[in-house]
Amino acid sequence: MIGAMVTQALAWAALLAARAVHDRLLSTLWIALLGLSLASIWHAVNAWIGRRPGRAVMHAALLLTPVGYGLGFDSYPWRVGWSNAGLAVMLGAIVLACAWPAQGKGRRWRGVVLTGAAVLMAVTLGRGILGAFFTRLYPELRTPHPLNVAAAILQHVALALITMALLAAWHEEATGSLQHLASTDGLTGLLNRRGCMEHAALAVAMARRHREPLAVILLDLDHFKRINDTLGHEAGDKVLQLTAEQLRLCLRQTDLSCRHGGEEFLLVLRHCEQAQAVEIDARLRTLLQRASQAQLGIPVTFSSGLALLQDTDADLEALLRRADAALYAAKQAGRNRLCVNGAAKAAV
């Protein structure tokens, strides 16, 4: 966006110096820089909300508009009609980029950019038609024709609004990135403890309100310190990453998983009865052992405690206390097993 602003400034500087220095060259540069500023806006939108249609059209117009303007400079109707048509096409590409579905990303600022670009496209195209076909009414750039005056005013207003909208987009992206970093574990890519507590508390509240089943599994990798001591911390990190990968394979999109701390992971399973939770635990146990055996040469196991949401559970903390007690019981019973409500179940 900064590039677009700087390019716009350079474009108008080139126009102001054109007559005094070299009219054809600097006027052509003016058109080229205007097009480049619009292309910068299109690429900014493309970068923030994903791949947009119109790339080929934008790049073709960016190249052909100043070339055609320079080659036909001696014909005023041609250069006015051609350049404004090219700029209108580029503005249309921006309108299309903002209007194209983007899964709800930045609807407000996209709407502002779309509106500003659409207004600019309309007055730019109108000015091109006026200069190309009604040259008598618009013999030069500074002609005080109502459309030209409106275009000059709207251009500054629309560009200011587009700039503010894109700054809002940058702020939205920066805020989202900071929130993601604050709630994500850097090693595994899972939610960290803070992020998971926020989402899990909401999941428990919703389950209580709608009287839906919910399960919590707290798992701890067995003998993790021994892995670090014998194979090194790099292997330990790999084990944590492998665990996160297998969790992603086992869990549904509605479930939550986080690195609760160290080698401990927390799973919050929505709409999940005990039998389903036990099945998920068993599947994760099998996948992790196979992956670790294949990639590290050792089978990695874990102990886990399962707690189911009860009517007496006031909040998430009550569930976590019972899951933690079940996890402790699983360790005491010999590790590599799931403990459900105080009854240890050995891994198959």
Side-chain angles (χ1 to χ4, degrees), residues 233-265:
H233 289 281
E234 185 176 344
D237 288 348
K238 182 61 177 176
V239 168
L240 295 173
Q241 292 169 337
L242 274 176
T243 304
E245 290 173 8
Q246 307 318 308
L247 281 171
R248 294 187 187 97
L249 292 175
C250 288
L251 300 187
R252 303 162 299 178
Q253 290 185 345
T254 55
D255 297 328
L256 296 173
S257 61
C258 83
R259 186 180 177 191
H260 200 238
E263 66 273 22
E264 196 170 80
F265 294 82

Side-chain angles (χ1 to χ4, degrees), residues 37-315:
S37 71
L38 297 178
S40 298
I41 293 173
W42 185 90
H43 280 284
V45 173
N46 187 76
W48 279 321
I49 58 177
R51 186 164 183 170
R52 308 281 88 193
R55 178 184 295 270
V57 172
M58 172 61 76
H59 290 172
L62 179 62
L63 174 64
L64 295 176
T65 301
V67 170
Y69 180 91
L71 293 176
F73 185 80
D74 292 333
S75 171
Y76 177 81
W78 165 264
R79 72 173 190 253
V80 173
W82 178 264
S83 61
N84 281 281
L87 294 174
V89 167
M90 286 186 266
L91 286 162
I94 295 173
V95 170
L96 179 61
C98 292
W100 200 259
Q103 299 180 347
K105 292 183 180 179
R107 288 183 179 179
R108 292 183 179 178
W109 68 259
R110 282 167 54 203
V112 175
V113 175
L114 187 154
T115 302
V119 169
L120 280 179
M121 179 179 67
V123 296
T124 299
L125 191 58
R127 189 158 57 179
I129 293 172
L130 187 66
F133 302 104
F134 304 95
T135 310
R136 178 176 57 83
L137 300 175
Y138 183 46
E140 62 175 14
L141 182 64
R142 297 176 179 83
T143 299
H145 187 278
L147 180 60
N148 196 32
V149 173
I153 295 173
L154 289 173
Q155 184 172 36
H156 290 87
V157 173
L159 285 174
L161 289 174
I162 289 173
T163 299
M164 288 189 289
L166 290 177
L167 288 174
W170 174 83
H171 180 266
E172 180 183 288
E173 181 185 34
T175 301
S177 297
L178 288 174
Q179 290 175 343
H180 178 75
L181 289 172
S183 62
T184 304
D185 176 61
L187 179 64
T188 62
L190 299 178
L191 289 171
N192 59 21
R193 185 167 185 162
R194 172 185 172 183
C196 191
M197 291 302 99
E198 293 176 358
H199 289 81
L202 179 60
V204 170
M206 293 297 292
R208 281 175 52 83
R209 176 182 298 179
H210 299 290
R211 296 185 176 278
E212 297 169 344
L214 181 141
V216 166
I217 296 177
L218 198 59
L219 67 88
D220 187 271
L221 299 176
D222 294 329
H223 307 297
F224 185 73
K225 185 177 183 302
R226 185 186 303 170
I227 294 174
N228 276 332
D229 291 343
T230 56
L231 299 179
H233 289 281
E234 185 176 344
D237 288 348
K238 182 61 177 176
V239 168
L240 295 173
Q241 292 169 337
L242 274 176
T243 304
E245 290 173 8
Q246 307 318 308
L247 281 171
R248 294 187 187 97
L249 292 175
C250 288
L251 300 187
R252 303 162 299 178
Q253 290 185 345
T254 55
D255 297 328
L256 296 173
S257 61
C258 83
R259 186 180 177 191
H260 200 238
E263 66 273 22
E264 196 170 80
F265 294 82
L266 172 65
L267 316 183
V268 180
L269 311 175
R270 297 166 174 165
H271 309 287
C272 187
E273 302 282 2
Q274 177 173 317
Q276 294 173 285
V278 171
E279 182 182 343
I280 289 172
D281 179 273
R283 187 161 66 248
L284 174 63
R285 197 177 300 276
T286 300
L287 288 175
L288 181 59
Q289 288 187 24
R290 288 176 180 173
S292 58
Q293 182 69 60
Q295 297 187 36
L296 297 174
I298 57 168
V300 175
T301 63
F302 60 83
S303 305
S304 51
L306 168 63
L308 302 170
L309 181 64
Q310 300 176 355
D311 293 339
T312 55
D313 293 327
D315 52 27

